[in-house]
C-alpha cells in the first residue's frame, strides 16, 4: 500500500505499518562512536538518520539512501541489527542496519536544504541524548550488545539504492516489537 504526500511517497506493509529504514553510523568497526543528526522538526534534538522506504525499495537500499541524504555520509553497510516496531504515535516498522562510515561530505542535501547538523557521540552519551525524546532510537543502540558480529549475517551493498533479490528479510534478524511506552522491546 502507498500513500502520497508532497515530495514523498509513503509505503506500508500488509499489516499497515509504515516501512522505514535507518543506520547506526559508526566511525569504525569498534562501534563505539555513533553519528547522530539534528531533527528536522526540533533542530536542538538529535536523532538516528533514517526515513521512509520508497516503493519497490529494499530496506538496505533505503537505509543507505537515508543516511546519505540526512547525514551526508557513505560507508560499508554491515549487519541488520533488527526490525523495530513503534506503535506509540504512529505504526512504524523500521529496519536498522550498521554502517561503517568511509566518506563524509562537507555539504549534503539536508545540510543545504534545511540546515541539518551532524555530530559524533560515544554510544553511552548518544543513548542519554536520545532517551528523552526518541527512546526507540536509544533502544537501537542498547541492542548492539545483544547482536552477532558483522560476519554472521548477510549484508547487502547497494549501488543504486535498490537491490532486487536482496537476502535481507524479516527472518534474517531479530524482530523487536516496541511497546506503547516506547522503550520496552520483546523478541517476536
Amino acid at each position: 500500500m502507498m500513500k502520497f504526500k508532497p515530495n514523498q511517497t509513503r509505503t506500508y506493509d500488509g499489516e499497515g505499518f509504515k516501512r522505514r529504514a535507518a543506520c547506526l553510523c559508526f566511525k569504525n568497526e569498534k562501534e563505539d562512536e555513533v553519528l547522530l543528526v539534528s531533527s528536522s522538526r526540533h533542530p536542538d534534538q538529535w536523532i538516528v538518520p533514517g526515513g521512509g522506504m520508497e516503493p519497490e525499495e529494499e530496506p538496505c537500499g533505503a537505509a543507505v539512501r537515508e543516511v546519505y541524504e540526512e547525514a551526508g555520509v557513505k560507508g560499508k553497510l554491515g549487519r541488520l541489527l533488527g526490525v523495530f516496531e513503534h506503535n506509540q504515535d504512529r505504526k512504524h516498522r523500521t529496519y536498522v542496519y550498521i554502517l561503517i562510515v568511509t566518506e563524509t561530505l562537507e555539504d549534503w542535501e539536508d545540510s543545504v536544504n534545511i540546515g541539518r547538523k551532524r555530530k559524533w557521540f560515544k554510544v553511552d552519551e548518544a543513548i542519554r541524548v536520545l532517551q528523552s525524546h526518541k527512546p526507540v532510537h536509544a533502544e537501537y543502540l542498547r541492542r548492539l550488545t545483544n547482536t552477532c558480529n558483522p560476519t554472521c549475517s548477510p549484508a547487502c551493498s547497494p549501488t543504486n539504492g535498490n537491490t532486487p533479490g536482496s537476502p535481507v528479510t524479516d527472518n534474517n534478524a531479530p524482530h523487536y516489537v516496541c511497546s506503547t511506552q516506547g522503550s520496552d522491546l520483546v523478541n517476536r
Side-chain angles (χ1 to χ4, degrees):
M1 176 167 79
M2 291 183 282
K3 185 187 276 184
F4 295 96
K5 182 180 175 187
N7 304 329
Q8 178 181 344
T9 302
R10 293 181 175 174
T11 58
Y12 296 82
D13 64 16
E15 296 177 67
F17 283 86
K18 182 178 178 189
R19 298 177 69 223
R20 299 184 77 255
C23 284
L24 292 177
C25 301
F26 291 100
K27 261 190 183 175
N28 54 45
E29 283 82 9
K30 290 183 200 172
E31 297 178 359
D32 58 352
E33 286 187 79
V34 65
L35 187 68
L36 300 181
V37 296
S38 58
S39 167
S40 59
R41 289 190 190 118
H42 307 284
D44 59 329
Q45 296 178 345
W46 298 98
I47 60 170
V48 172
M53 292 168 54
E54 295 177 358
E56 308 302 317
E57 191 174 33
E58 293 290 331
C60 57
V64 169
R65 176 184 53 76
E66 285 291 338
V67 299
Y68 181 74
E69 291 171 3
E70 291 190 0
V73 297
K74 295 180 182 181
K76 179 181 163 201
L77 189 67
R79 70 193 182 277
L80 176 61
L81 180 64
V83 180
F84 295 79
E85 291 178 1
H86 183 55
N87 298 307
Q88 189 173 7
D89 306 322
R90 306 175 189 111
K91 287 176 69 172
H92 288 170
R93 184 167 283 150
T94 305
Y95 293 75
V96 180
Y97 293 87
I98 302 299
L99 183 122
I100 305 301
V101 174
T102 58
E103 183 180 346
T104 305
L105 305 175
E106 286 220 16
D107 295 308
W108 66 98
E109 186 175 333
D110 279 5
S111 73
V112 171
N113 294 340
I114 63 171
R116 193 183 298 270
K117 307 273 188 257
R118 64 181 172 216
K119 182 178 174 182
W120 291 102
F121 290 86
K122 293 287 186 188
V123 171
D124 290 346
E125 182 186 5
I127 290 170
R128 281 193 302 277
V129 164
L130 294 168
Q131 187 57 48
S132 62
H133 66 282
K134 285 289 186 182
V136 172
H137 289 200
E139 193 62 37
Y140 303 162
L141 289 164
R142 283 193 197 94
R143 288 291 165 185
L144 273 176
T145 57
N146 298 331
T147 62
C148 61
N149 67 38
T151 59
C152 76
S153 176
C156 89
S157 303
T159 53
N160 64 358
N162 282 325
T163 53
S166 166
V168 179
T169 65
D170 281 347
N171 298 327
N172 287 20
H175 193 102
Y176 301 105
V177 179
C178 185
S179 76
T180 56
Q181 308 319 55
S183 61
D184 296 330
L185 299 184
V186 295
N187 272 328
R188 188 187 237 190

